[in-house]
Structure formats: C-alpha cells, structure tokens
C-alpha cells in the first residue's frame, strides 16, 4: 500500500485517534531523502494532527481525515459538524531539491555538504551549474546573526503564504467552513528561534493591506523536536511536537 493512502480514517475518540496515527508508517522526508508529495504530505499532516491532539481547543471527536489526492486542497478534516480544508506545501528551494536528486542519482558530493543562503523565487538554474556547486561544496557567504535569520525566515514563510492565498481563490480549490494552510519548513536555515521568528511572521501578516485568507496557518519545523507554529490574523501559538514515531 502506498504511504499516502493511509491518511484516510475515522476516529471516535482521542485514544483511538492517537493509536491510528501511531500505526501509520510515516516516512521522514529528511531522513529518507525522498521529498515527493506522497511522503511529505502525510508526514506533515500526521505531525500536525498528533501535536494538535495534545491540546483541547482545536480537535473534537469523532473526526474524519481524508487525503483528497489529487484534488485541492490536499486534506479534508471533518469534525463537530464542520468541514476544514487543509492545503499542504513544502517550503523548500527548487534548486536545493534538484541538488538532492543529483546527489542521490549520480552519487556526487559529500554527506556533510555546506548549505548557503537562498532567496525565495530563485530562478531555476542549469543542472550542470548545480553539479559544479555540489562538487565544489564551498560556502559562498556567511550567515547573518540570529535575529536577522529569524526575520529572513518570516519573509520566506510569508512568501509561501502569499502564493497559496492566490491559489486558494482559484476555481480548482474547494472552499470549506474553514481553510487551513500547512507548511513543512524545509528551508536551509542553520537555526531559527521559533518564537521570535513566528512573532516576526505575525507582524508581517498584520501589516499587510489584505487580511489573512486562511483561518489558520501551521508551520511544521524541519526538526522532529521543533514545535508546530500556528499563526492566525490575531496571534500565534507554538504547539509542542508530539512525535509518535520517534
């Protein structure tokens, strides 16, 4: 059975819900090296749901989860007479993803390679240029201080939010009682202070002319031990990670 098909289930209560999640074979995209949607989507969704289950204010039972592949949004969460569409996106630079593919398929580069700063919407670069960069494995510029990194992180995440808000308003997206956005953070930052960075993100969202279209935005840290950041138009929360598969 393909991994993504396991993210379709019903749970009558929290105990059953957690047992079902624990039984799902979630493959960590960072550990496996496979970042295709059939791995990244269930990984992010399972970690979101397991972490939300630690609190009492968002999940109610019974509930049902449907992976809507290939429809948009990616998931449908039904609970308490309410339907919530959840769209997933990977915050990962395209060129870095292509470099990972080249490292695996051509067996080039070193396991402990340097990671350089990347701007959102960096143009797609030729494969030969990426190969040379992999082989050189040299740092281009130094990373900024922690506070600057946190601000850069918030800018990158807002870029992904903006793009998904544009798509949410297109005809191919179904709209529900609530619309949530789930971002798996795989951007190559050396370290981020989740609370400080999320506070910057909230400030950027509130300073825009348009209000946030998604009722809630969740960001899954690229570390299994990192929190799940929740951002709304009015505030943010950091949910402790509930890793059932570690």
């Amino acid at each position: 059975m393909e991994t993504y098909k396991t993210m379709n289930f019903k749970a009558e209560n929290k105990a059953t819900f957690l047992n079902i999640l624990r039984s799902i074979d979630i493959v960590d995209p960072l550990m496996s090296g496979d970042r295709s949607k059939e791995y990244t989507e269930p990984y992010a969704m399972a970690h979101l749901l397991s972490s939300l289950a630690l609190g009492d204010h968002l999940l109610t039972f019974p509930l049902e989860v449907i992976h809507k592949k290939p429809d948009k949004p990616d998931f449908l969460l039904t609970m308490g007479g309410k339907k919530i569409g959840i769209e997933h996106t990977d915050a990962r630079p395209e060129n870095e993803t292509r470099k990972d593919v080249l490292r695996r398929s051509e067996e080039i580069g070193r396991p402990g390679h340097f990671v350089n700063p990347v701007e959102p919407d960096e143009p797609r670069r030729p494969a030969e240029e990426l190969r040379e960069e992999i082989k050189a494995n040299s740092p281009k510029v130094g990373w900024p201080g922690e506070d600057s990194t946190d601000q850069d992180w918030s800018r990158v995440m807002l870029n992904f939010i903006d793009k998904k808000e544009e798509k949410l308003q297109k005809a191919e997206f179904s709209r529900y009682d609530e619309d949530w956005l789930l971002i798996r953070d795989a951007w190559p930052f050396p370290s981020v202070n989740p609370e400080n960075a999320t506070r910057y993100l909230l400030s950027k969202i509130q300073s825009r002319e348009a209000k946030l279209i998604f009722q809630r935005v969740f960001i899954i840290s690229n570390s299994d031990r990192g929190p799940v950041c929740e951002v709304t138009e009015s505030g943010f929360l950091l949910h402790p990670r509930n890793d059932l598969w570690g």
Side-chain angles (χ1 to χ4, degrees):
M1 178 180 291
E2 292 182 338
T3 304
Y4 72 81
K5 291 182 179 178
T6 63
M7 289 301 297
N8 294 278
F9 61 86
K10 296 180 180 179
E12 293 297 319
N13 52 59
K14 183 184 288 190
T16 301
F17 175 69
L18 291 174
N19 284 336
I20 292 173
L21 286 177
R22 190 178 290 109
S23 70
I24 296 174
D25 184 18
I26 299 300
V27 179
D28 185 342
L30 296 177
M31 296 298 293
S32 69
D34 193 323
R35 293 181 173 87
S36 58
K37 287 186 177 182
E38 58 191 82
Y39 290 102
T40 58
E41 288 180 356
Y43 172 87
M45 185 63 169
H47 276 264
L48 170 66
L49 293 175
S50 65
S51 299
L52 293 184
L54 291 177
D56 298 319
H57 72 290
L58 283 181
L59 298 185
T60 60
F61 298 90
L63 61 72
E64 180 178 13
V65 177
I66 298 174
H67 196 164
K68 298 180 68 219
K69 191 179 182 76
D71 298 331
K72 294 293 183 181
D74 298 302
F75 295 94
L76 177 61
L77 172 62
T78 303
M79 58 184 180
K82 179 189 295 184
K83 291 185 176 182
I84 300 169
I86 304 177
E87 174 66 2
H88 168 270
T89 190
D90 243 20
R92 173 78 175 170
E94 180 188 6
N95 288 318
E96 291 300 314
T97 300
R98 292 171 60 216
K99 284 164 68 174
D100 284 345
V101 172
L102 290 172
R103 289 187 182 97
R104 293 197 306 273
S105 62
E106 301 182 9
E107 297 183 347
I108 58 177
R110 304 174 186 175
H113 56 271
F114 284 109
V115 176
N116 290 297
V118 182
E119 283 296 311
D121 300 321
E122 178 187 69
R124 183 181 177 92
R125 293 191 277 135
E128 187 54 40
E129 182 180 330
L130 298 180
R131 288 189 186 94
E132 291 303 317
E133 193 171 293
I134 292 170
K135 293 173 183 177
N137 191 37
S138 59
K140 293 181 180 178
V141 296
W143 287 92
E146 178 179 312
D147 194 66
S148 295
T149 299
D150 293 344
Q151 291 195 51
D152 286 344
W153 179 91
S154 69
R155 181 169 55 87
V156 170
M157 293 304 121
L158 184 61
N159 179 273
F160 282 90
I161 293 171
D162 288 341
K163 288 179 179 177
K164 281 298 181 179
E165 285 187 325
E166 290 180 12
K167 293 185 177 181
L168 181 65
Q169 299 176 78
K170 294 184 178 180
E172 65 263 27
F173 267 81
S174 299
R175 302 292 297 271
Y176 295 96
D177 299 312
E178 288 190 16
D179 302 299
W180 294 358
L181 175 61
L182 171 59
I183 301 174
R184 187 183 75 92
D185 173 20
W187 203 264
F189 285 112
S191 63
V192 172
N193 181 312
E195 183 173 358
N196 194 44
T198 308
R199 184 175 290 107
Y200 278 126
L201 176 57
L202 174 63
S203 176
K204 285 179 169 58
I205 288 173
Q206 292 178 335
S207 65
R208 299 188 306 174
E209 291 183 4
K211 287 193 173 183
L212 189 64
I213 297 178
F214 289 99
Q215 277 76 28
R216 301 180 190 276
V217 175
F218 296 95
I219 303 172
I220 301 287
S221 167
N222 59 10
S223 165
D224 283 342
R225 294 181 297 276
V228 177
C229 306
E230 176 190 349
V231 184
T232 66
E233 182 70 33
S234 59
F236 74 91
L237 291 171
L238 300 182
H239 299 273
R241 183 72 68 93
N242 186 20
D243 185 3
L244 302 173
W245 307 270

